[in-house]
Amino acid sequence: MKDTKAKYIFVTGGVSSSLGKGIIAASLAKLLQENGYRVTIQKLDPYINIDPGTLNPYEHGECFVTEDGAETDLDLGHYERFLNTPTSQANNVTSGRIYQAVIEKERKGEFLGKTVQVIPHITNEIKDRIQILGNSGLYDIVITEIGGTVGDIESLPFVEAIRQMRWELGKENTTIIHLTLVPFLAAAGELKTKPTQHSVKTLLESGIQADILVCRTEHHLNAELRKKIALFTNVAQEAVIESIDAPTIYDVPNLMLDEGLDKVVLKSLELPYNNKPALNSWNAFLSRLKNPKQEVTIGLVGKYVTLHDAYKSIVEAFIHAGASTETKVNIEWLHSDKINANNSKNKLKNLDGILVAPGFGERGVAGKLLTIKYARENDIPFLGICYGMQMAVIEYAQNVLGLQDANSTEIDENTSNPVIDLMDSQKNITRKGGTMRLGNWSCELKTDSLAAKIYQTSAIQERHRHRYELNNKYADALQAAGMKISGINKETNLGEIVELPNHSWFVGVQYHPEYKSTVEKPHPLFVSFVQAAANNKMKNHANMAQKI
Ligand code: GLN
């Protein structure tokens, strides 16, 4: 094992899934960052997919894309939004990726004739993946979150790898935080500690004694209860941390600060507690978030709207932009499949702004096109993201250029007007995983554009995740008819942004601005869009008042 100076925090979960391990990890990292430590967070996922890129959003929520083009778990989005530092491929590792790497080494003969086994080969690969971050010299502390719940068969190799790291690096260099649930039984009128006791025991069966317990609860834990949990689970009483349900995920760092999670963690890692985190800019954000001066309703049109996690980063980008403009942003979730010519006006007329979301495939496309037509013709602020931008181009080509069969070849391979088409470099690709245009690409903005005004610069970098592109054969015709291509990738000459100068705020972007929005740096496009929606609402009110 290589020497390493970074210290490691492992976050495991028990009793139930969805207890918010990702938010606890991100909140703790925030507090440690404010204490002067360089922190990163990593997520280990026990499933066999190489990455979540091929998963349906209904299976696993949004796929978050990093700067280096990794398709990752949505928790990485939280890490970036809380810490305001980028993550990378190394921050999300699945069992699939571990096994793939080990099998590849086996094929190359790297194991010198040995039998390849879960222990030590898979566990060694896991340890290496954890320590890549720790050995990079970039971080003082690496927080590694283990997906799933202890006791799951599939997470056993991860738990074993942690056990070994703890033995190898020592207790002072590794801390185990176990997240559990303390349920309230209404009939008994009591909080119950038994599930927590069992869960800590299950972890112990794998040779790991938890150092700190974070107990998710709907009611406060009193001193007696904390003492009971501590006594039966072998942890210090101060290390029984309450994680009470919070109004927003952004309240959790303060809750953890009040509970002293950062203090017990640093004590356990034998690191100095430099200063109590002031969370100044964080709290300024929270106070703007909680005291809005105006309110807007934005329609979010997509086909996965029944699972809000499918659009996690978009929702969070609206929260950041809302706080920045002191605006309460209500999202009206609209299923694109349910919008048709008979109901579109009714469904859309009360919206202050409309966002057409990213997506894939044919279902719901007609509803998206009707929505965009309505936004365009009625001067409603419109933001189209990725598929939403492609739909905006198709709608314009069909209804303004009069190319009635204009389409994307993703939807109609035989269209005579493929305004959205595959790049040549994509045409022979048959494998689905990791083969889209992914990650950071640069984009040059036209100086007299709305985009340049919004970004306040002419050169930007944004993250992509798509296969299809605006077809440059139609660029001149679209521009002559009033659709401006205001952002271009210089190396490929691909159009990345379209806008309509004769509309008050109409922007389509081929990339995903939502991945870059953080608490500290709300994304300028979302900020401007929310403000445009507020202006539109004001204008409509003024018009209405005039009519009365
Ligand atoms: N389906 C489109 C493409 O692959 C858009 C993808 C997206 O919205 N992320 O190009």
Side-chain angles (χ1 to χ4, degrees):
M1 178 145 318
K2 284 175 230 156
D3 272 337
T4 170
K5 284 204 193 67
K7 302 212 176 202
Y8 297 91
I9 298 170
F10 298 105
V11 182
T12 59
V15 182
S16 162
S17 57
S18 304
L19 293 181
K21 275 193 303 243
I23 301 298
I24 293 295
S27 301
L28 171 62
K30 182 82 220 160
L31 297 178
L32 297 175
Q33 191 186 50
E34 288 252 329
N35 224 295
Y37 293 102
R38 299 168 307 157
V39 191
T40 191
I41 319 178
Q42 177 186 47
K43 173 98 190 263
L44 302 182
D45 276 311
Y47 53 77
I48 305 292
N49 304 63
I50 301 292
D51 60 44
T54 51
L55 287 173
N56 183 316
Y58 276 133
E59 287 279 316
H60 206 67
E62 168 190 277
C63 172
F64 185 79
V65 178
T66 56
E67 283 180 349
D68 63 348
E71 296 177 279
T72 71
D73 186 82
L74 58 76
D75 271 344
L76 271 78
H78 290 309
Y79 307 160
E80 291 202 5
R81 289 187 281 272
F82 274 53
L83 296 185
N84 196 40
T85 57
T87 55
S88 71
Q89 180 69 74
N91 294 75
N92 190 200
V93 183
T94 67
S95 290
R97 195 172 286 279
I98 300 281
Y99 274 84
Q100 188 188 43
V102 170
I103 291 168
E104 214 138 275
K105 285 181 189 164
E106 187 272 338
R107 293 288 81 185
K108 284 191 202 148
E110 285 185 24
F111 297 116
L112 305 173
K114 288 269 183 222
T115 308
V116 181
Q117 295 179 296
V118 173
I119 300 168
H121 301 100
I122 295 295
T123 44
N124 281 351
E125 186 69 32
I126 295 172
K127 287 192 287 180
D128 284 350
R129 298 291 176 135
I130 297 170
Q131 290 178 100
I132 281 174
L133 289 168
N135 292 341
S136 68
L138 297 172
Y139 309 108
D140 305 310
I141 300 173
V142 177
I143 303 180
T144 298
E145 177 195 343
I146 318 294
T149 309
V150 294
D152 294 349
I153 292 173
E154 55 181 13
S155 58
L156 282 176
F158 291 110
V159 176
E160 169 61 13
I162 296 175
R163 189 197 64 74
Q164 292 183 15
M165 275 187 70
R166 194 170 174 83
W167 186 84
E168 286 160 348
L169 301 176
K171 223 172 159 258
E172 69 284 7
N173 290 313
T174 53
T175 281
I176 314 284
I177 301 179
H178 188 58
L179 201 72
T180 75
L181 176 70
V182 179
F184 180 75
L185 283 195
E190 262 182 347
L191 285 164
K192 292 293 183 187
T193 65
K194 198 68 92 184
T196 295
Q197 296 179 38
H198 282 303
S199 171
V200 173
K201 238 176 238 165
T202 305
L203 192 56
L204 203 52
E205 278 166 18
S206 301
I208 296 177
Q209 166 66 49
D211 299 305
I212 297 165
L213 300 181
V214 174
C215 305
R216 183 72 188 268
T217 173
E218 290 171 15
H219 299 274
H220 288 294
L221 309 179
N222 62 27
E224 199 187 331
L225 207 97
R226 288 174 195 243
K227 192 170 170 194
K228 184 173 167 191
I229 294 175
L231 177 67
F232 290 123
T233 58
N234 255 331
V235 306
Q237 196 171 328
E238 59 170 13
V240 177
I241 302 289
E242 167 191 291
S243 167
I244 195 137
D245 291 357
T248 82
I249 55 170
Y250 297 106
D251 287 307
V252 180
N254 278 306
L255 293 178
M256 290 304 109
L257 180 63
D258 293 345
E259 283 287 306
L261 176 63
D262 53 335
K263 223 176 218 170
V264 270
V265 163
L266 289 173
K267 187 172 161 193
S268 152
L269 289 174
E270 298 181 9
L271 286 171
Y273 190 76
N274 297 322
N275 49 283
K276 185 167 182 251
L279 291 173
N280 285 335
S281 64
W282 188 271
N283 287 334
F285 155 80
L286 270 181
S287 118
R288 285 193 307 274
L289 179 68
K290 294 189 172 183
N291 300 292
K293 300 206 165 77
Q294 53 186 4
E295 187 167 346
V296 295
T297 301
I298 308 271
L300 194 157
V301 182
K303 70 172 175 181
Y304 306 111
V305 290
T306 45
L307 180 74
H308 297 177
D309 268 4
Y311 303 106
K312 194 81 202 163
S313 294
I314 293 178
V315 174
E316 301 304 323
F318 274 127
I319 291 175
H320 309 152
S324 151
T325 54
E326 299 178 296
T327 310
K328 179 168 193 283
V329 180
N330 304 308
I331 295 181
E332 189 147 330
W333 298 89
L334 294 166
H335 200 305
S336 46
D337 226 8
K338 303 212 168 101
I339 298 174
N340 56 47
N342 295 329
N343 65 17
S344 60
K345 187 171 177 213
N346 254 342
K347 280 191 187 266
L348 306 170
K349 68 174 194 271
N350 292 325
L351 300 171
D352 305 313
I354 293 175
L355 183 145
V356 173
F360 294 84
E362 197 189 339
R363 200 163 61 86
V365 159
K368 287 184 177 171
L369 292 174
L370 277 169
T371 302
I372 295 168
K373 183 166 189 275
Y374 186 87
R376 179 175 59 77
E377 291 179 345
N378 293 283
D379 204 39
I380 300 174
F382 167 81
L383 177 57
I385 299 182
C386 207
Y387 214 26
M389 172 268 201
Q390 297 177 355
M391 293 295 132
V393 173
I394 295 169
E395 191 279 323
Y396 209 73
Q398 287 183 355
N399 298 325
V400 180
L401 287 185
L403 306 173
Q404 276 163 24
D405 73 335
N407 218 330
S408 163
T409 47
E410 178 174 0
I411 302 158
D412 176 5
E413 252 184 295
N414 302 315
T415 173
S416 50
N417 285 298
V419 290
I420 305 292
D421 197 8
L422 281 181
M423 267 191 303
D424 282 340
S425 59
Q426 280 282 347
K427 284 190 176 146
N428 294 321
I429 292 177
T430 50
R431 281 162 75 97
K432 292 272 182 267
T435 55
M436 286 190 252
R437 176 147 83 104
L438 287 166
N440 258 7
W441 286 72
S442 60
C443 173
E444 191 103 352
L445 305 179
K446 286 206 181 126
T447 36
D448 55 347
S449 63
L450 175 60
K453 206 170 124 201
I454 291 170
Y455 278 95
Q456 298 278 305
T457 173
S458 62
I460 59 167
Q461 291 261 339
E462 291 280 3
R463 299 185 204 175
H464 290 247
R465 181 175 188 251
H466 55 97
R467 248 178 248 292
Y468 293 82
E469 308 283 351
L470 201 170
N471 185 345
N472 270 331
K473 283 189 201 134
Y474 293 87
D476 287 345
L478 286 165
Q479 305 223 69
M483 176 169 262
K484 185 178 206 151
I485 301 173
S486 58
I488 284 182
N489 172 265
K490 276 280 160 75
E491 295 92 64
T492 54
N493 204 28
L494 289 169
E496 311 280 43
I497 309 176
V498 295
E499 51 187 75
L500 295 179
N502 69 359
H503 186 286
S504 63
W505 207 102
F506 189 105
V507 179
V509 289
Q510 183 59 85
Y511 50 83
H512 291 261
E514 69 274 21
Y515 294 144
K516 272 185 84 167
S517 184
T518 71
V519 165
E520 223 149 280
K521 282 206 180 109
H523 197 287
L525 261 180
F526 278 87
V527 172
S528 175
F529 179 49
V530 166
Q531 195 50 57
N535 296 345
N536 178 42
K537 183 178 175 181
M538 233 137 56
K539 186 181 81 193
N540 288 342
H541 279 187
N543 285 348
M544 218 131 69
Q546 248 174 19
K547 278 187 199 147
I548 298 166

